[in-house]
Amino acid sequence: MSASLNQFFFAVYPYICLAVFFMGSLARFDRDQYTWKSDSSQLLRAGQLRWGSNLFHIGILFLLFGHTVGLLTPHWLYSPFISAGQKQLVAVFSGGTAGLVCFIGLSLLLHRRIFDPRIRLTSHRTDLAILVILWVQLCLGLVTLPFSWHHRDGGTMMVLAEWAQNIATFRPDAALMANIDWPFKVHMVLGMTIFLLFPFSRLVHVWSGLATVGYAFRPYQLVRSRRLNVPRRGA
């Protein structure tokens, strides 16, 4: 990758994707709330949907949490408890397991969407496109595992974490990514592209999933009677 492309993809492109991710999600919620959903097709091939959806969501939630914590947690915070190399091994085994589970689930969902004529006819092109992109992203993530195993000292993971933390603190440094192996680079760029496409796909229903946490701690609903001139009980 040339220096100019490296500078664009790892210093400019992340902020383009994040801006579209947040502003696009807000605009879609404000203008098109009736499209803020994941269209259901559970009446068709429910068994395959059940297995595929459960495996996919279990795997993807673990991967999302693991990537977020792994990349954005400063080294000084966990260094008293675990070394960078040990953290790398934990990420390889746990992430590899979750990635395989997610890959199986997503493959079932993609097979269901493509090869069942009824489901294919009721699917939007964006549904198929985002599933294919996620499937390719999972494949790339699994491809990085041998490279991560080769760098068991944790050096590559430390560089990726430093780059991500610099992006989060508005101190981009694309030079950190210059010597990173190509699977990591492609994996990172495609991951950012998923954030870019997020507001225009069914993935927006993820926001509603996060909102259920607030729903669990909502105050009790107050119900007041609109009947007038009704005496109180016991009066």
Side-chain angles (χ1 to χ4, degrees):
M1 182 180 291
S2 66
S4 57
L5 283 178
N6 189 78
Q7 180 69 21
F8 172 76
F9 280 122
F10 299 108
V12 179
Y13 192 56
Y15 295 109
I16 296 175
C17 296
L18 286 173
V20 174
F21 172 70
F22 287 112
M23 298 304 296
S25 297
L26 182 62
R28 182 168 175 181
F29 182 77
D30 183 59
R31 297 174 60 87
D32 297 301
Q33 291 189 23
Y34 287 107
T35 67
W36 190 279
K37 60 182 179 177
S38 175
D39 293 328
S40 175
S41 59
Q42 65 187 48
L43 295 178
L44 305 174
R45 299 183 72 165
Q48 187 175 358
L49 173 65
R50 188 180 306 111
W51 277 101
S53 181
N54 287 336
L55 291 174
F56 168 71
H57 283 93
I58 290 171
I60 201 70
L61 288 173
F62 186 93
L63 291 172
L64 181 61
F65 178 80
H67 279 68
T68 303
V69 174
L71 289 174
L72 297 182
T73 303
H75 178 64
W76 60 264
L77 195 60
Y78 62 81
S79 58
F81 312 101
I82 186 172
S83 67
Q86 292 170 331
K87 183 185 175 186
Q88 178 94 340
L89 292 178
V90 171
V92 168
F93 286 109
S94 61
T97 302
L100 185 59
V101 169
C102 188
F103 176 80
I104 294 172
L106 186 55
S107 296
L108 289 172
L109 295 176
L110 191 59
H111 175 273
R112 179 175 170 273
R113 286 274 174 187
I114 294 176
F115 293 102
D116 189 306
R118 296 178 299 172
I119 299 176
R120 188 171 64 250
L121 288 173
T122 59
S123 299
H124 301 290
R125 284 178 295 179
T126 54
D127 294 341
L128 290 173
I130 202 67
L131 285 177
V132 171
I133 292 172
L134 289 172
W135 190 85
V136 172
Q137 177 71 342
L138 277 171
C139 290
L140 286 169
L142 294 174
V143 168
T144 65
L145 293 178
F147 291 86
S148 297
W149 180 258
H150 180 69
H151 302 291
R152 291 192 297 274
D153 60 347
T156 299
M157 182 190 64
M158 292 291 293
V159 172
L160 294 174
E162 183 179 358
W163 171 81
Q165 291 164 30
N166 285 350
I167 291 294
T169 54
F170 301 99
R171 296 179 294 113
D173 186 3
L176 290 170
M177 302 293 291
N179 297 318
I180 296 295
D181 294 316
W182 71 265
F184 292 103
K185 289 185 176 182
V186 179
H187 187 56
M188 299 291 282
V189 171
L190 187 56
M192 290 184 285
T193 303
I194 291 173
F195 278 87
L196 182 72
L197 299 175
F198 184 97
F200 313 105
S201 70
R202 63 190 297 161
L203 293 178
V204 290
H205 77 277
V206 174
W207 285 120
S208 299
L210 295 175
T212 57
V213 178
Y215 180 81
F217 297 97
R218 74 195 188 286
Y220 289 109
Q221 183 179 8
L222 298 178
V223 180
R224 295 184 175 90
S225 174
R226 298 186 64 182
R227 293 178 298 173
L228 303 177
N229 301 319
V230 177
R232 294 181 180 177
R233 292 182 180 180

